[in-house]
Amino acid sequence: MQQTPPKNPRPVFNTIFAFPPNRDTMGGTSYFILENLGNILIDCPVWDEPNRSFLQQHGVRWLFLTHRTAIANVKEIQQTLNCQILIQEQEAYLLPGIEVSRFQHDFTLSPTSQAIWTPGHTPGSSCLYHCDQGGVLFTGRHLLPNQQGNPVPLRIGKTFHWRRQLNSVQYLRDRFSPETLHYLCPGANTGFLRGQRYIDRAYERLAALDLDTYLEQKPEL
């Protein structure tokens, strides 16, 4: 049987790339940001030769992990790329024997990129905000596209704390504005974007969420 050739990272914007979904992270999508002061890898891509070559060619200063499910081959990635690992302090214990940088609420990776703690999906669930392109928020699994391509919080059986997750959505709405948040890049369910690779009108769509209705949402299997 003929094997499907590996897919290369695809551009989302000129300086942002998306990797194909990774089975080792439950179909998670990893992203890569080209930065003047050091490039940022968001979550763990498939650790195969095409992705290794791409990342070695460009170099990586930071591997930022948005939540525990995004962890795969971290030790190998760090050894190969000689990068720093950043994770919210409540989930750092999941990386024993690996040198990591921990943060509590916020962490500035560069003048244009900042990690933000958004607990709920997991205790250490976090997003990364990148201020280029009018503002891009990499949401991990904190906010995912539904079948209509709209960003929503998704309650599953393993959700750590549903009310805290909804509070984290409200925190993002309070923190940003239509002028500072144009796009979302989710960490999963990217097939619902139908090739667009990002969610546009990000703040408008977040503002339209009725969070009181979501309080009664039952977990999805």
Side-chain angles (χ1 to χ4, degrees):
M1 186 175 66
Q2 187 176 8
Q3 292 185 341
T4 303
K7 297 180 180 179
N8 294 319
R10 300 189 300 174
V12 179
F13 300 106
N14 288 337
T15 59
I16 298 174
F17 296 82
F19 291 86
N22 184 358
R23 290 183 180 179
D24 292 336
T25 60
M26 298 176 61
T29 296
S30 174
Y31 295 90
F32 180 72
I33 307 174
L34 289 169
E35 287 259 23
N36 290 332
L37 297 180
N39 302 325
I40 301 170
L41 178 61
I42 302 170
D43 294 335
C44 298
V46 176
W47 197 232
D48 58 12
E49 184 54 38
N51 288 346
R52 281 195 296 271
S53 297
F54 175 88
L55 293 169
Q56 286 178 305
Q57 176 185 352
H58 290 89
V60 176
R61 180 180 180 185
W62 291 101
L63 168 57
F64 171 64
L65 298 167
T66 60
H67 66 292
R68 61 181 60 195
T69 311
I71 295 172
N73 302 108
V74 172
K75 187 172 185 178
E76 293 89 339
I77 292 173
Q78 186 180 55
Q79 290 176 341
T80 302
L81 303 175
N82 192 30
C83 58
Q84 296 173 263
I85 311 298
L86 178 64
I87 191 169
Q88 206 277 335
E89 61 184 9
Q90 294 185 73
E91 303 197 347
Y93 76 93
L94 296 166
L95 296 170
I98 298 176
E99 184 177 349
V100 301
S101 296
R102 302 167 172 83
F103 73 99
Q104 185 175 11
H105 294 290
D106 300 279
F107 187 96
T108 298
L109 293 87
S110 76
T112 57
S113 297
Q114 186 176 42
I116 305 168
W117 182 40
T118 51
H121 172 69
T122 68
S125 181
S126 307
C127 298
L128 187 137
Y129 176 69
H130 183 64
C131 68
D132 285 355
Q133 308 293 331
V136 183
L137 189 69
F138 298 86
T139 61
R141 293 181 186 261
H142 172 54
L143 290 163
L144 296 175
N146 60 15
Q147 292 186 4
Q148 291 72 45
N150 292 315
V152 297
L154 182 62
R155 188 179 188 183
I156 62 174
K158 293 184 178 180
T159 295
F160 165 64
H161 198 293
W162 184 230
R163 184 179 288 274
R164 292 192 74 184
Q165 186 169 350
L166 298 181
N167 289 343
S168 292
V169 175
Q170 182 60 52
Y171 173 74
L172 294 175
R173 298 200 297 195
D174 294 340
R175 179 170 181 144
F176 296 110
S177 69
E179 292 72 37
T180 59
L181 185 57
H182 286 194
Y183 302 102
L184 299 182
C185 287
N189 288 16
T190 51
F192 288 148
L193 301 181
R194 295 170 176 84
Q196 185 165 280
R197 305 178 197 170
Y198 56 76
I199 299 172
D200 59 7
R201 297 183 292 112
Y203 188 85
E204 175 186 338
R205 298 191 196 207
L206 283 186
L209 291 174
D210 184 351
L211 297 181
D212 289 336
T213 299
Y214 278 90
L215 271 175
E216 305 303 322
Q217 186 184 80
K218 301 299 183 183
E220 294 192 13
L221 299 178

